[in-house]
Amino acid sequence: MGMSGLKLLKYVLFFFNLLFWFCGCCILGFGIYLLIHNNFNLLPSLTLGNVLIIVGSIIMVVAFLGCMGSIKENKCLLMSFFILLLIILLAEVTLAILLFVYEQKLNNYVSESLTDSIQRYHTDNSTKAAWDSIQSFLQCCGVNGTSDWAGHPPASCPSGPQVQGCYAKAKLWFHSNFLHIGIITICVCVIQVLGMSFALTLNCQIDKTSQALGL
């Protein structure tokens, strides 16, 4: 690979990471918005706002290292970018294995947390907004059915004798969209592997170029 190939690889990696940096900014901003407005809070230890802030921050840091490492041809930044991507990829694989192994415990935890959140429906605006959105979107009522609501179910519950609980509906939605979720997951992993490959290739090429120039 000559100097022209090195420049091409450098700018491909730069714009690749610049795009992801902007995506990270958008995710972070949306997470902050949700956190400020305190929306979508069903699980006590995990809110959508917190998750988006963490994900957005990680994407921004990793993409920044990739941008600066490639455009400056800095080996230290490139290897930091490579190592962080590798750690994230290993963490994703580990998380997938843990979710598979502890699937039943996770199901029980989610079901219990959702049941507890129903008790906060009339006292917590974020919980109310989350339940109303979920019940409207999935056309479901409560965790296991309308009987979960003490007294009259909220207006967001659909009417009818065959209304399913949101927990069963959410699992059904997940299984029906499993192929799309799998494709997105595979694409994310492929992008991460490509980023690692580009960073490693550029790092090696910088070494070769330096040796050729006698630096």
Side-chain angles (χ1 to χ4, degrees), residues 32-186:
I32 293 172
Y33 170 82
L34 289 180
L35 203 61
I36 291 173
H37 290 79
N38 199 29
N39 289 331
F40 297 97
N41 182 14
L42 284 181
L43 302 180
S45 58
L46 189 65
T47 66
L48 182 58
N50 289 334
V51 171
L52 291 179
I53 287 174
I54 293 170
V55 171
S57 300
I58 292 173
I59 291 174
M60 286 180 65
V61 170
V62 173
F64 176 78
L65 289 175
C67 281
M68 296 305 295
S70 57
I71 202 68
K72 296 290 186 182
E73 296 184 18
N74 188 300
K75 292 177 58 181
C76 181
L77 291 177
L78 283 173
M79 287 310 297
S80 298
F81 171 73
F82 173 84
I83 291 169
L84 278 177
L85 276 184
L86 180 60
I87 291 172
I88 292 170
L89 187 61
L90 292 176
E92 290 169 351
V93 173
T94 304
L95 179 62
I97 294 171
L98 290 175
L99 288 176
F100 178 76
V101 172
Y102 296 103
E103 181 182 3
Q104 190 57 49
K105 288 185 177 181
L106 180 64
N107 287 339
N108 293 337
Y109 170 75
V110 171
S111 180
E112 290 171 4
S113 298
L114 290 175
T115 303
D116 291 340
S117 69
I118 285 181
Q119 311 304 321
R120 305 193 305 271
Y121 181 84
H122 296 289
T123 58
D124 186 358
N125 289 332
S126 63
T127 302
K128 184 179 186 298
W131 267 113
D132 287 343
S133 298
I134 291 172
Q135 290 181 148
S136 299
F137 176 72
L138 294 177
Q139 288 296 292
C140 58
C141 190
V143 181
N144 300 305
T146 54
S147 59
D148 291 332
W149 297 100
H152 190 70
S156 56
C157 273
S159 57
Q162 301 298 324
V163 177
Q164 285 184 289
C166 292
Y167 183 66
K169 264 298 188 67
K171 290 182 72 174
L172 183 64
W173 179 88
F174 179 81
H175 288 301
S176 62
N177 291 277
F178 185 77
L179 178 62
H180 301 96
I181 295 171
I183 291 173
I184 292 171
T185 304
I186 291 171

Side-chain angles (χ1 to χ4, degrees), residues 13-40:
L13 190 59
F14 173 77
F15 287 111
F16 170 84
N17 281 286
L18 185 63
L19 175 63
F20 276 91
W21 187 82
F22 281 120
C23 291
C25 288
C26 294
I27 294 172
L28 178 62
F30 189 54
I32 293 172
Y33 170 82
L34 289 180
L35 203 61
I36 291 173
H37 290 79
N38 199 29
N39 289 331
F40 297 97

